[in-house]
Amino acid sequence: MPTETITTRCAIAGAGPAGMMLGFLLARAGVDVLVLEKHADFLRDFRGDTIHPSTLEVMHELGLLDDFLKRPHQKVHELTGLIGDDRVVLADFSHLPTHCHFIAFMPQWDFLDFLADHAKLYPRFQLRMVAEVDGLLKDGDKVVGLRAKTPEGEIEVRADLVIGADGRHSTVRDLARLEVEDFGAPMDALWLRLSKRPGDGSQSLGRIQAGRLFVMLDRGDYWQCAFVIPKGGFNDLRRQGLEAFRAAIVKLNPSLADRVQEIASWDDVKLLTVVVDRLKRWYRDGLLCIGDAAHAMSPVGGVGINLAIQDAVAAANVLAVPLREGPVSEELLRKVQARRQWPTEMMQWVQLQVQKRIISNVLIMTEQPTAPFAVKLLNRFPVLRRLPGRLIGMGFRPEHVHSPEAS
Ligand SMILES: Cc1cc2nc3c(=O)[nH]c(=O)nc-3n(C[C@H](O)[C@H](O)[C@H](O)COP(=O)(O)OP(=O)(O)OC[C@H]3O[C@@H](n4cnc5c(N)ncnc54)[C@H](O)[C@@H]3O)c2cc1C
């Protein structure tokens, strides 16, 4: 027996970027919404902290941009790579048709806190932390709510619409038996922090050397580093020992020799398993999946958060007004998928090409790489950098806020 039964218009599983943004937009439009998050706070392991120009444009459209940019962040106007000894500017954001010509690097928990703070200003918004969704309520084939475990006991939430925004290991999509297509990834990523020292410079940088790929993201007083390894290769690496791992990092970037001892044990290294997949159908009667729950993105280009936000904006554009009145039809849920499927497919296709043609090759390379001709062209003709800048910064179909703000 549930300890509590709640009735709402829309129940959202997961307070990541997708769930929080949709919760915010629906409450703003006057829809009763309850977001359930299994964790007690937003402070979790590194989950990507890039806020892209098209997400910043959404913040501008919502009138939140100035406030948002008051939170500590770093601005990255272009992406640079070091391929062997060749330094290449890979993407330039300075000409995008948006208010912000940069990616803002901000820890995801700050971004989510910001959304939560603003969403709570709307009386129809509720956020319940430490509430882990573990069941769906059904009436025949129709989903009519969900169940969640809380410290006070099991709760039942009756809702006209359930949203699965619970990330790439989505419980909701499993419970709804939505079919997943897995596209595979040749790599996993190890995340670690190293302190930033005076004289380091402030440029986030990707480094490619024989068999190695290393990314350093400027987080103000420390570097968030990603060491890319072949899929499933973490145990091999551990067997070689921590000293060998530290030496591999120093080989990639000798200036880190004075601080690799900060990696005191393997506990300081977090393995993130890379997954790229997509649901064939993102919805069923009474339920819709968005963000990573509908399509887990590769870390290539760091576009997952942006896509999750764009899904939320598109879903609110289609659903907010009809949801105010009552249940929404499957046809409207299909419309959300139809709107977001193409940009997702295109972005995943690009990511899979990069994984297959570049990352797989780099990971088995034994000789020092040089920048391929096409990449060298980016150095010779700076105008060409605008194309990857647009692709990464805005994606294939940036969304604009059309859902209304209720009076
Ligand atoms: C190695 C790696 C690096 C990445 N780097 C970047 C990057 O730099 N930039 C970028 O844009 N993207 C990056 N991504 C992808 C990015 O993290 C995701 O695409 C993005 O967070 C998706 O947002 P989301 O809201 O759909 O899901 P999530 O951010 O995963 O949020 C889902 C939420 O649901 C909660 N939840 C899960 N299950 C339940 C449940 N049963 N009940 C209640 N709550 C639940 C989770 O705790 C979580 O808060 C990276 C991914 C990987 C794997």
Side-chain angles (χ1 to χ4, degrees), residues 377-397:
L377 283 180
L378 296 173
N379 266 3
R380 191 157 318 157
F381 303 106
V383 71
L384 295 179
R385 300 169 193 162
R386 294 185 195 176
L387 185 65
R390 183 161 178 127
L391 197 67
I392 295 171
M394 300 182 65
F396 283 93
R397 181 182 275 159

Side-chain angles (χ1 to χ4, degrees), residues 12-20 36-39 42 44 46-52 105 108 112 131-134 165-172 188-189 191 217 272-275 290-293 295-299 301-308:
I12 300 179
M20 281 304 301
L36 300 120
E37 167 57 48
K38 70 176 175 183
H39 288 97
F42 299 126
R44 292 188 283 289
F46 180 73
R47 297 191 329 178
D49 44 10
T50 50
I51 310 297
H52 284 224
F105 277 71
Q108 209 183 102
L112 296 176
E132 180 170 359
V133 174
D134 61 358
D166 49 346
R168 62 209 184 107
H169 304 297
S170 170
T171 304
V172 169
D188 289 326
W191 290 101
L217 305 176
L272 275 168
T273 312
V274 176
V275 180
I290 59 169
D292 271 18
H295 47 74
M297 305 301 291
S298 160
V303 294
I305 298 171
N306 195 35
L307 258 87

Side-chain angles (χ1 to χ4, degrees), residues 81-88 208-209 368-371:
L82 203 59
I83 305 176
D85 294 325
D86 299 330
R87 180 177 283 267
V88 195
I208 297 182
Q209 287 185 8
Q368 194 69 323
T370 52

Side-chain angles (χ1 to χ4, degrees), residues 36-181:
L36 300 120
E37 167 57 48
K38 70 176 175 183
H39 288 97
D41 53 39
F42 299 126
L43 287 174
R44 292 188 283 289
D45 290 342
F46 180 73
R47 297 191 329 178
D49 44 10
T50 50
I51 310 297
H52 284 224
S54 47
T55 293
L56 293 167
E57 196 64 10
V58 166
M59 302 305 260
H60 165 73
E61 290 169 9
L62 291 168
L64 300 176
L65 183 63
D66 291 344
D67 211 9
F68 182 64
L69 292 178
K70 284 185 191 138
R71 301 230 165 175
H73 65 278
Q74 285 75 45
K75 294 182 176 60
V76 172
H77 292 90
E78 54 184 33
L79 295 181
T80 343
L82 203 59
I83 305 176
D85 294 325
D86 299 330
R87 180 177 283 267
V88 195
V89 178
L90 298 165
D92 174 7
F93 305 115
S94 60
H95 290 81
L96 295 181
T98 48
H99 281 78
C100 298
H101 298 149
F102 54 84
I103 291 182
F105 277 71
M106 182 186 287
Q108 209 183 102
W109 54 84
D110 277 343
F111 177 50
L112 296 176
D113 267 343
F114 179 87
L115 283 180
D117 287 351
H118 281 81
K120 283 174 192 161
L121 300 176
Y122 294 104
R124 295 188 183 274
F125 179 83
Q126 280 187 70
L127 172 63
R128 187 132 177 184
M129 304 301 280
V130 205
E132 180 170 359
V133 174
D134 61 358
L136 293 178
L137 304 178
K138 290 195 194 143
D139 181 0
D141 270 350
K142 187 176 164 61
V143 175
V144 293
L146 48 77
R147 264 193 299 272
K149 262 191 307 214
T150 74
E152 295 76 38
E154 188 89 357
I155 62 168
E156 226 177 60
V157 182
R158 304 214 147 252
D160 290 322
L161 179 65
V162 167
I163 299 286
D166 49 346
R168 62 209 184 107
H169 304 297
S170 170
T171 304
V172 169
R173 77 182 189 185
D174 286 350
L175 291 168
R177 296 177 197 275
L178 295 172
E179 201 184 331
V180 188
E181 240 180 312

Side-chain angles (χ1 to χ4, degrees), residues 189-360:
L190 303 179
W191 290 101
L192 54 113
R193 284 181 183 200
L194 292 171
S195 59
K196 205 170 156 213
R197 306 263 165 100
D200 272 356
S202 62
Q203 214 172 29
S204 296
L205 190 70
R207 285 166 194 266
I208 297 182
Q209 287 185 8
R212 299 270 184 243
L213 219 153
F214 190 61
V215 180
M216 289 172 66
L217 305 176
D218 182 4
R219 302 291 318 113
D221 52 355
Y222 66 91
W223 294 103
Q224 182 76 53
C225 307
F227 189 98
V228 179
I229 57 169
K231 184 130 227 78
F234 190 40
N235 283 341
D236 276 353
L237 200 76
R238 286 180 69 132
R239 268 195 290 277
Q240 290 162 24
L242 203 54
E243 203 42 59
F245 180 56
R246 292 189 193 113
I249 292 177
V250 173
K251 197 163 173 225
L252 280 154
N253 187 345
S255 73
L256 297 176
D258 57 356
R259 65 203 93 162
V260 278
Q261 294 300 330
E262 291 168 12
I263 312 167
S265 78
W266 287 110
D267 290 342
D268 295 326
V269 181
K270 303 271 180 283
L271 168 69
L272 275 168
T273 312
V274 176
V275 180
V276 187
D277 66 23
R278 193 169 62 242
L279 292 181
K280 288 195 168 158
R281 194 168 177 222
W282 300 16
Y283 64 93
R284 53 180 284 182
D285 199 6
L287 179 141
L288 171 72
C289 286
I290 59 169
D292 271 18
H295 47 74
M297 305 301 291
S298 160
V300 171
V303 294
I305 298 171
N306 195 35
L307 258 87
I309 297 289
Q310 305 296 317
D311 282 3
V313 172
N317 286 347
V318 175
L319 302 173
V321 171
L323 247 189
R324 265 200 309 229
E325 311 304 324
V328 290
S329 64
E330 268 191 89
E331 175 52 21
L332 282 185
L333 304 180
R334 190 197 62 76
K335 258 192 179 170
V336 178
Q337 173 173 354
R339 173 89 198 159
R340 294 306 306 158
Q341 181 152 337
W342 176 77
T344 307
E345 264 176 24
M346 292 297 289
M347 190 57 85
Q348 286 184 325
W349 182 83
V350 173
Q351 291 185 320
L352 292 173
Q353 296 309 308
V354 173
Q355 287 187 176
K356 196 165 109 191
R357 292 174 197 281
I358 301 176
I359 298 178
S360 301

